Structures are given as structure tokens and as C-alpha cells.
Amino acid sequence: MDFRLLGRVGAVTGAEELQLGPVKRRSVLAALLLKANSAVPVDQLIDALWDDAPPTHARTVVQGHVSRLRALLASAGAGEHGVGLMTQGPSYVFEVPETLLDTCRFERLARRGRLRQRPADAVAVLGEALALWHGPALDGTAPSAPLRAAAQTLEDSRLDVVESLAVAYERLGDRAGAVAVLQAEAAAHPLRESLAEALILALYRAGRRSDALDRYHRVRCLLADELGVGPGPGLRGAYETALRGGPVGAGGAGPADLPPASGTGLAPVPEIGLAPVPDARYGPDALLLAPAGRPPSPAGPAPRLLPRGVRGFLGRDTELAALDRIAGAGDGAVALVTGPAGVGKTALALQWAHHRQARYPGGTLFADLRGFGGVPAEPAETVREFLIALGVPARDLPDSSAAAAALYRELTARRALLVVLDNVRGTDQVRSLLPSGTGSAVLVTSRIRLSGLIVEELARPVPLDVLSPVPATELLAAAVGEERVAAEPEAADRLARLCDGLPLALRITAAQLAARPRWRLADLAAELADEQRRLALLSLDEAEESGVAAALRITVQGLPPEAVRLFALLGVVPGPDLERYAAAALLGRDPAVAAEALDRLAGAHLVTEYAPGRYSMHDLVRLYARGLGTDEGALLRLLDSYTATALAASLAAEPGEKPCCALPREAPADAPARTFADRPAALRWYAVERENLAAAVTAARAAGHDDRAWRLAVLQWPYVVWSVRDGWAPLLEQALEASRLLGDPDAESRVRALLGWVLTREGQLSEALAQLELAPALAARAHDPSSEAIALVNLAVALDADGITDTSLRHVTRAVRLAREAQDVLTELLALQHRTRQLLARGDIAAAERCTAYALALDDHGVTTGLGVLRRAALRLSRSEALLALGERDAAESCTRQALAEAASQGFQEGVNRAMSQLEALGRPVDLPAAPEGGDRSVRS
């Protein structure tokens, strides 16, 4: 697992990047990682999310984003890497080993590089440090003052390392390397005098005296115009050195007679060896390797068939570097650029190919295989076109396809070719077009995963996703003019988001604005905000079927029927993602069939498998799917599947508790539902599915399925217990409204009891009592003594917050009697637990001791996990207090140690802390028990 702040903020596990979602969630992660392993107050997180006055619900928003981050971490197995997101009072702590955080690795490498005595070692280590950067620091986060300041601090550290790397190149005697390192940075930071000073000296040492003097005069004018100041002493000293031709420090005694380095528009390419070459903007992001062992190019034509590149190409530094690494490996490397329709695969391929084709003296071949739209190109015809381009006269072309393919293999064996195969639908389209020479490289683009090409030809995938907000806005500015975007930055940002960061959508939006010069960006953003019209607006010419919808339509064509049907049903999904059981419910088929359909959709980049078995889709794809029409029963099937799975999860999480509800009468008994091996598995499911379940409640209410809405909320109670301060009230308020509309006293009592308990733990006592005072009577009307007992206990807890009263004592006494009559042992333990606390608070020690003795003698039918164990642990701790007060120290210690073991086994930190305190009060040695394997610390408040 790897956490990234040096570029686009993100988290990567294996080869997959966690889909963090909206900017504010990414900003929360950034703010926590910037202070990793330290407590970050919620107020600081709010400051990081809103640059102006935060909304009244800011705290709830932060809690929601923290909750979703916990779910993502849980689904990615973060605990196995020592990663956890903990609540500590009014703060959060992101626990993460420093080795998993790129900022810590960067600082460590920077220190190590500066201490290296050998220049070659310093170059290597400092280059490794800069390779950790993938763009501007904290990219993709909110533009708040705290995050801007943190990003600037990180950028300053990067520039310090760049300057150190230039010095290392000078010590190594590679003056051209020092110039290359400094030039791009000096252009990006023209007012940083230390960069300008270093570049002037590097240019002078490299024999480029006139360039050095010109650089000084440009910087001097810029400082005067922008800041109204003159050059500092260091910059003036560098100028005087270059002007007088005097000796220069680390670089030697004078300028070297070296030719200036030339570039291609991207990073300079070394002719030989493995030396790192600085990226044009963010350090040595990749090692550009000259392919070794190329066969000599034979005499004959060197075709250059590339079409012109896309104007206004921006960003994609990471993907360009990946292509460099793959092509640099030699041995006939095949790079496979994949991604959804309109994401810019062809633009990326052409951009890279235009800047790298000089490395392939045998020539460049290009073919659009028309795999998506139009009549697919025949491989045999493409081979013939390639043979003609390679110098074979048309009259000499072989008659058969097999002979033509053989001649192509023979000719390409002696050439170093770059072959670009665009718009490929299947592996069969490209087999005969692959050159046979090991000095060649092949670049394939496709909307499909092309697993066959990966298996057969060891193709290296380069996945391409939508643009993040910053480069998306830059692309818009390049197309419509920087002045127009600068005049409405917020509207430009909104347009980029409404276009989902899809380059095709952004270019169409730019064309719409170009055709309407009097429109403000905000006007078009308002139009695009209408989901009913968005896809229509993102089309230039319906007659030619151009635009986002047409691209998606073409992608869907040719998929298997089950995958097409599932795609049409995805518009029903209310939450941000789904897995195979939800897909099975939509289809009304077996989960295995649904898993295959999801895999086919992922292979076509219509959905993204962002975590093992979990799939999401971009907003424009969701809108297109929603417009395809749907099965009217699909939503209800999905709700029933969620309800059945939530019921199974509640039984697995708390196996001794009575179910809080059953499935609705008309719900099918065989709705697709997961099973859970144990309690941790059930709690992980709750964490991962929290947003989906909340969205399902909202969708159920909107569709009139109130009987599902309240169940989906209340069935999450085991997870609510473990993360009670995590913003549950809005969800439960929806459930309350649903239960009231149904006129179901059982439903209403359960919702009010849970909502009241949550409000009590949040410190909102008056609001809690408003719910809890109604819950017991509603449960009595429903003739459910266990539900009434729980409601009475929750009411007593709220009343006891201001001191024990006779009323709360009566409530708990009645709760004990009701649970006993219902033979509900675990609820009776709950009531007796609170009864004991009341007695201890009143000083009735003997009664408290008798109460705990009776409670601990009850038969709980072998419950070994969950709240039953915690209630016993709490009762033992209360009993220990009573025994200690009665002078029985040994018995009190034994009881406390039993409670400590039980609390630790369930990850009950509050119980562990209380037991440790009591042992310390007894003056006994304390050994902290090990945390349980697969514990719940990452999802607990």
C-alpha cells in the first residue's frame, strides 16, 4: 500500500488506485496524511475543506468523508499494512508507517543524496527522490489556504532537491545534465533567484555564455517588473562570473567546450546507457532508456505515417513516462493504452509517438483499425498498406494473406520500427501487424482490456483514466482561451466536473463555447447541470453521431447480451458502486453470471473495478445508462438484496441478539445475499457498503418503498454501535419518516430507540429525549417486550446523563423484568449492566455486587463474540469496583483480569482502558493484551 501527496493525492494498493471520490474526501485524506500519526482536530479538517465560511453542516460532512475513507481502507486490507484511521476525542489520527508515505520517502532520499560523497551516487539518489513526484503537490484537493501553504512547502523542498541534483551533475562533470535539470524549473519558477543563479552558472560552464547572460537580463527585468526589486548578491555574482569569464566554483575553472543539448519537446533522450534524464517539469519521473541491441536499419524508405497530433495536449506525465519505460525495455516491447471512450487514448499515443519516433530509424507505421465504429479494418489489408509503406512496390505484393504476413515479418526483422495500432477491438486484429524485430516497439490503443494480447505478447498495460480537475480546467483554457477561463474560475472548475474530466466532453464543451462567444462559462455550466440535457449538449452533430453518447453507444455494441442488459440496469443503482450480489439482484440472475457481466463491462471500461470485486462508473456513463430504459422491478430487487444481506450481516455481527426485524412479507426468500463467516467480515461489509445503503434508503423513500427504507437503516445497528459518533442521525431521520408513514409502531419504536441512543452519545440530550420518551410506548403497542426493554434502557441512559433519578431506576427495573419474561438473556444483560452502574453511582455497593453476581450467572447460550461478551466484560468491571469497595482485593483483581481479556478479544478499547486503570488502582502489574487478529479498530469511533 502506498499513499501519495507528491502529485495527485491518492492511495494505491498493489496495481490498483483507490477511487477516493470527490475533492473534499481527497482533501480530508491529504490533511490527515500531512500530519500522519498525529491527532488532527475536526476544526483543522474543516479549514482544509472550505477557504471561506464553512456551512453549518461542515462537521457532518467531514465525518461522512472520514467514514467513507475508513470503508475504502477496510476494503483494501489497510490493517494488514499497519494503516488505520482512528478517532481520538474531537480529532482523527491517520496511523501509517512512514515507508508507505511518499513525502517521508522523499525527505529520506533527499537527505541521503545530499550526504553522498561520490557524485554519481548523489545523482542516482536525488534522482530517485524526484522520481516520486508525479505532478504538483496535493493535486486534486480543495484550494484552501492550509492546503495551498502545505503544497508550497512541499514544492520548495522539491526545488531544493532539484538544485542539489544540479550541483551533483556539476561535480560529476556532466554540465549538460545540470543545465537540463535546471532549465525547466527556472522557466516554471522565474522569480526564484537561486534557480536562476544556478542555471546561469550551469549555462556558462557548459560553454553557453551568451545564453547565461541572456538569462540574467531576462530575470533582472522580470524582478523589476513583477516585484520592483533588483537582483540579489548571488544572482549578480553569477552574472559577473559569466560576464568576465572568471573561475566558477564546483563546476571547474571555466566554461567547457560542449555543444548545447537538444531536446524533442518532452524530456531529452540519452543516446546510450541508463542515465536518468530529468522530466520537463517534475524531476526524473521515468528513466528513458535507449533500446539496446537494435539491428541496423536496411537501406530503403523510412516511412513516417503518423497523422498530426492533437492540438492542446496537456498533462498525462505519468502515462507518458510509463510508455517511455515500456519502450525503453527493448525486445519488441508492446504497450497497450486502454481506457473508456473519449478519454484521449489516441491523443496520448500520437503525442508520445511524435516525440519519440526519431528513436526508431526504421520508420513509423500507423493504422486506425476502426474497432469501434465503422467497418473494422481487415488485418490483411493493413499488412499490405504497411508493406507498401516499407518500400514494396504494389506490383510485387504477395497474392495471399499468409505470404504477405511472412514478407512483413521478414522486412521488420531488420528494422527498428515504431508501430502504432489505434482503435483495436480484438487481439486477432493485431497479431499479423506486430513487427518481428527486437529493436521495434508497438503502441496499441483500445477501449477493451485485450487480455489475449497481454498473455500472448506480454503487452504492458497503460490504463488511462479521466483528467483530474486541474488538468481538465487547463485543457478547457487551452481550447477557449486562458482569459475567458481566468475570468470565471469557479464556473470553469464546475464545467470540468460536469464533463467528468473526460477530454472528449471537455473539447465538445469548448466547441460549444467557441460557437457562443457571448455566453459566459456559468451559462453553459447551468445548462449542463440539467442531467436530462447533459448528454445532448455534449454532442456536436447528431447526424454524424458524434459526442459522448455516441461513443458510449458504440462501446456497448458487440458486448454479450447479459452484459448489455446489466449496463442498461446500472442507471438504477443509487449508490456510488456495486458488487456481484447487487448486480445479480438487478439482473435477477445468479451472482456468478453477474460477475461475468461485470467483468465484461470492466473490460470495455464502462465500469471500473477500483477494488477487488467492487465496481464504479463515471457520472456521464451513469447518465447514459439511465437513459436506456430499465426493468421496473430492478430497484426493488436491489433493495431486497441489500435488506437480506444486511439482515445476514446483523446476525453474523451479533449472533446472540434477536433480529431487529424480518424481511418484508412480499420480499423473495431467495434474494441474492452474501453470507458472512464471522463478525469482522460482517462489520467490514457494513463499512464498505455504508454509502450504498444510505443511498438505497433515499431511493427507497423516493420510490415509495418505506418498508425497505426503515429496515435498511435499522439493520445497520451493529456498525452504528461501533462508530456511533460518525454522523448517523440524518439516515435514521429518513428511516423515522418512513416508519411514521407506514403507521408501524414496531418500526417506529426501533428507529426512535436507535436514533435517540445516537443523539445521546453525540451529546444532544434534549433531542435524544424527544425520541426516546416515545419509543417504549410504541414498542408496547407492537407487543415486543425485548424492543420495549431496549427502549427503556436507552431512555434511562439519556436521563442518567444529568444524574441518577428514581424515574430512570424504574425504567431499568422494568426493562430487566421485560427481558426476563421474554427469555432474552442478552437484553437482560444490557439492562443489568446499566442497573449496576446506577447502583454504584448511588453508593449501594452491596446491591451492585449482588446484581453483578446474578447477571454473570445467567446462561447466554455460549455467545463468544460481539456485544454479549462486551456486556459481560462491563459487568465484570462493575463487579470489580464493588468487590474492591467491599475490601475483597484478590477477587476484584481476578474479575478485572477476566474483563480485560474479554474486552481485548473484541477490540473494545474503552473496556480495555477501564480495566487497565482498575488494575493500576489495585497496584497490580499490568500486561497490555495483544489486539485481536482482524479487529475492528479501523471502523470504530
Side-chain angles (χ1 to χ4, degrees):
M1 177 162 274
D2 186 28
F3 294 93
R4 298 176 177 175
L5 296 174
L6 305 180
R8 181 168 174 79
V9 172
V12 177
T13 175
E16 298 291 332
E17 183 171 359
L18 296 188
Q19 299 300 306
L20 296 177
V23 169
K24 284 188 169 51
R25 188 173 304 143
R26 198 178 298 273
S27 304
V28 169
L29 176 62
L32 292 168
L33 290 175
L34 286 167
K35 295 188 176 181
N37 303 308
S38 302
V40 183
V42 174
D43 289 342
Q44 287 188 17
L45 295 177
I46 291 173
D47 290 341
L49 264 60
W50 287 277
D51 210 20
D52 47 10
T56 55
H57 63 288
R59 190 171 295 270
T60 302
V61 171
V62 169
Q63 290 172 341
H65 287 308
V66 169
S67 174
R68 184 55 182 161
L69 286 174
R70 282 174 171 160
L72 284 169
L73 293 170
S75 69
E80 300 171 7
H81 301 275
V83 175
L85 179 45
M86 314 292 291
T87 301
Q88 192 177 97
S91 303
Y92 294 107
V93 179
F94 199 106
E95 295 183 350
V96 56
E98 288 190 352
T99 55
L100 304 185
L101 193 54
D102 62 354
T103 49
C104 295
R105 297 200 302 275
F106 173 73
E107 291 171 4
R108 188 166 57 252
L109 287 167
R111 286 195 301 270
R112 192 186 306 164
R114 291 186 178 109
L115 294 174
R116 286 289 186 267
Q117 296 299 314
R118 295 180 60 231
D121 293 343
V123 166
V125 176
L126 293 171
E128 186 180 351
L130 291 172
L132 295 172
W133 286 74
H134 301 284
L138 308 185
D139 185 25
T141 60
S144 62
L147 292 181
R148 286 200 306 271
Q152 186 57 54
T153 299
L154 291 170
E155 175 67 1
D156 289 342
S157 298
R158 185 184 72 84
L159 292 174
D160 288 341
V161 173
V162 168
E163 292 171 359
S164 297
L165 178 60
V167 171
Y169 270 120
E170 290 278 3
R171 291 169 53 209
L172 189 61
D174 185 355
R175 298 179 176 89
V179 171
V181 166
L182 294 167
Q183 231 163 3
E185 299 299 345
H189 303 275
L191 297 177
R192 184 177 171 103
E193 290 194 43
S194 58
L195 268 178
E197 175 189 344
L199 178 57
I200 289 167
L201 291 174
L203 288 167
Y204 168 61
R205 292 172 188 137
R208 299 168 61 180
R209 184 177 182 183
S210 62
D211 289 339
L213 298 176
D214 178 66
R215 171 68 60 173
Y216 171 78
H217 289 300
R218 277 191 284 162
V219 175
R220 179 180 58 80
C221 293
L222 196 61
L223 288 170
D225 293 342
E226 296 290 334
L227 303 179
V229 299
L235 192 55
R236 289 198 304 272
Y239 169 66
E240 290 169 3
T241 297
L243 183 65
R244 295 173 182 171
V248 290
D257 186 17
L258 295 175
S262 60
T264 62
L266 293 178
V269 181
E271 294 299 324
I272 57 173
L274 307 179
V277 177
D279 182 271
R281 181 68 181 83
Y282 287 99
D285 192 41
L287 297 182
L288 305 182
L289 309 182
R294 280 195 183 133
S297 181
R304 300 294 180 191
L305 301 188
L306 285 179
R308 68 188 294 268
V310 177
R311 294 185 61 192
F313 184 89
L314 293 168
R316 304 301 195 190
D317 295 335
T318 300
E319 291 80 6
L320 289 168
L323 292 175
D324 279 324
R325 286 192 293 271
I326 295 169
D331 198 25
V334 179
L336 172 59
V337 177
T338 61
V343 80
K345 300 180 293 296
T346 301
L348 174 73
L350 292 177
Q351 178 76 2
W352 184 86
H354 273 292
H355 286 89
R356 293 294 181 257
Q357 62 180 334
R359 299 172 64 185
Y360 300 92
T364 308
L365 301 176
F366 174 89
D368 178 2
L369 299 184
R370 302 190 300 275
F372 303 89
V375 179
E378 288 292 336
E381 187 59 35
T382 306
V383 168
R384 293 171 65 86
E385 292 174 3
F386 281 1
L387 288 174
I388 292 173
L390 291 170
V392 178
R395 63 179 179 274
D396 295 335
L397 290 174
D399 294 330
S400 71
S401 299
L407 179 58
Y408 178 68
R409 288 194 298 273
E410 179 184 350
L411 290 178
T412 57
R414 302 190 302 274
R415 292 176 181 259
L417 284 165
L418 173 60
V419 180
V420 181
L421 304 174
D422 190 33
N423 214 9
V424 175
R425 180 136 208 157
T427 304
D428 290 343
Q429 279 189 298
V430 303
R431 281 195 186 95
S432 61
L433 303 175
L434 301 178
S436 57
T438 57
S440 295
V442 181
L443 181 52
V444 177
T445 74
S446 180
R447 301 181 193 179
I448 303 295
R449 191 182 294 148
L450 296 185
S451 300
L453 194 64
I454 297 172
V455 172
E456 296 173 18
E457 302 296 338
L458 299 181
R460 297 278 301 280
V462 180
L464 199 61
D465 204 350
V466 298
L467 295 170
S468 60
V470 172
T473 306
E474 289 174 351
L475 176 58
L476 199 60
V480 303
E482 293 185 3
E483 299 82 2
R484 204 167 172 187
V485 168
E488 298 180 79
E490 293 182 2
D493 182 70
R494 189 181 182 202
L495 278 175
R497 295 176 194 283
L498 288 168
C499 289
D500 226 8
L502 193 69
L504 173 61
L506 288 163
R507 291 182 180 277
I508 293 174
T509 297
Q512 299 277 18
L513 289 167
R516 299 171 175 84
R518 295 185 180 179
W519 276 40
R520 297 179 305 137
L521 273 63
D523 296 329
L524 184 55
E527 294 288 327
L528 286 174
D530 183 355
E531 292 187 350
Q532 305 300 320
R533 299 192 60 219
R534 191 179 306 167
L535 286 175
L537 287 167
L538 294 177
S539 175
L540 285 178
D541 188 340
E542 293 184 5
E544 296 181 4
E545 291 200 331
S546 62
V548 175
L552 291 170
R553 186 183 312 115
I554 293 169
T555 304
V556 173
Q557 291 172 356
L559 288 175
E562 210 67 68
V564 174
R565 180 167 171 255
L566 177 59
F567 181 72
L569 294 169
L570 291 181
V572 171
V573 178
D577 58 17
L578 79 163
E579 39 73 73
R580 63 190 177 109
Y581 287 94
L586 292 172
L587 286 170
R589 297 292 304 275
D590 184 85
V593 175
E596 173 64 21
L598 279 170
D599 188 61
R600 297 302 293 265
L601 293 178
H605 294 93
L606 292 167
V607 298
T608 301
E609 189 178 12
Y610 72 91
R614 300 206 67 83
Y615 300 83
S616 63
M617 56 185 154
H618 294 298
D619 288 343
L620 292 176
V621 177
R622 187 187 298 270
L623 285 177
Y624 179 71
R626 194 174 293 164
L628 295 179
T630 186
D631 176 351
E632 291 183 0
L635 175 61
L636 190 57
R637 291 197 300 271
L638 180 62
L639 295 175
D640 286 339
S641 174
Y642 279 144
T643 305
T645 305
L647 180 58
S650 69
L651 295 175
E654 303 299 343
E657 298 283 345
K658 292 179 65 176
C660 66
C661 65
L663 293 174
R665 282 193 215 92
E666 67 277 16
D670 59 348
R674 295 179 64 95
T675 57
F676 300 95
D678 51 26
R679 183 167 182 272
L683 290 175
R684 282 196 298 272
W685 179 83
Y686 279 126
V688 170
E689 295 287 355
R690 178 174 176 179
E691 280 195 46
N692 285 326
L693 294 174
V697 170
T698 301
R701 293 229 52 230
H705 301 305
D706 290 313
D707 53 342
R708 272 75 171 177
W710 79 267
R711 285 177 167 86
L712 283 170
V714 171
L715 281 169
Q716 296 180 66
W717 74 267
Y719 187 48
V720 174
V721 168
W722 286 89
S723 54
V724 63
R725 295 184 183 89
D726 210 3
W728 293 100
L731 175 73
L732 293 171
E733 286 165 357
Q734 284 196 75
L736 178 58
E737 184 61 25
S739 66
R740 291 175 61 189
L741 288 172
L742 289 169
D744 183 342
D746 177 59
E748 188 176 348
S749 70
R750 292 182 186 279
V751 177
R752 288 189 185 277
L754 184 56
L755 175 57
W757 182 72
V758 166
L759 293 170
T760 300
R761 295 299 300 271
E762 289 183 349
Q764 303 181 57
L765 290 178
S766 59
E767 294 87 346
L769 289 171
Q771 303 298 333
L772 293 169
E773 287 171 347
L774 299 175
L778 288 164
R781 280 176 53 198
H783 307 293
D784 189 327
S786 292
S787 180
E788 184 180 356
I790 291 172
L792 286 167
V793 170
N794 289 356
L795 174 58
V797 170
L799 291 170
D800 288 346
D802 290 328
I804 310 299
T805 64
D806 291 338
T807 301
S808 68
L809 285 168
R810 285 195 299 273
H811 288 329
V812 176
T813 301
R814 176 168 171 74
V816 172
R817 185 170 64 253
L818 286 167
R820 190 174 300 161
E821 291 172 355
Q823 297 183 343
D824 183 351
V825 174
L826 291 182
T827 299
E828 186 177 357
L829 284 175
L830 173 67
L832 289 169
Q833 173 191 339
H834 288 284
R835 175 67 172 165
T836 303
R837 298 301 301 161
Q838 289 175 326
L839 293 171
L840 287 172
R842 284 205 155 190
D844 195 342
I845 306 302
E849 188 276 332
R850 290 194 301 273
C851 186
T852 56
Y854 168 79
L856 292 169
L858 290 174
D859 181 7
D860 61 4
H861 307 289
V863 173
T864 59
T865 63
L867 292 177
V869 178
L870 300 189
R871 288 168 189 166
R872 286 190 169 279
L875 282 161
R876 291 192 201 281
L877 290 171
S878 296
R879 179 168 180 76
S880 174
E881 288 185 36
L883 290 171
L884 182 60
L886 294 172
E888 300 182 31
R889 295 178 63 85
D890 290 341
E893 179 186 357
S894 175
C895 200
T896 303
R897 290 191 182 278
Q898 282 182 278
L900 176 61
E902 288 173 332
S905 73
Q906 302 302 301
F908 179 34
Q909 193 60 46
E910 183 180 337
V912 169
N913 294 342
R914 187 176 160 200
M916 299 282 284
S917 297
Q918 289 184 201
L919 287 172
E920 289 174 359
L922 285 164
R924 307 297 190 185
V926 179
D927 295 320
L928 183 65
E933 184 177 354
D936 306 312
R937 69 173 192 162
S938 65
V939 297
R940 194 167 64 242
S941 258

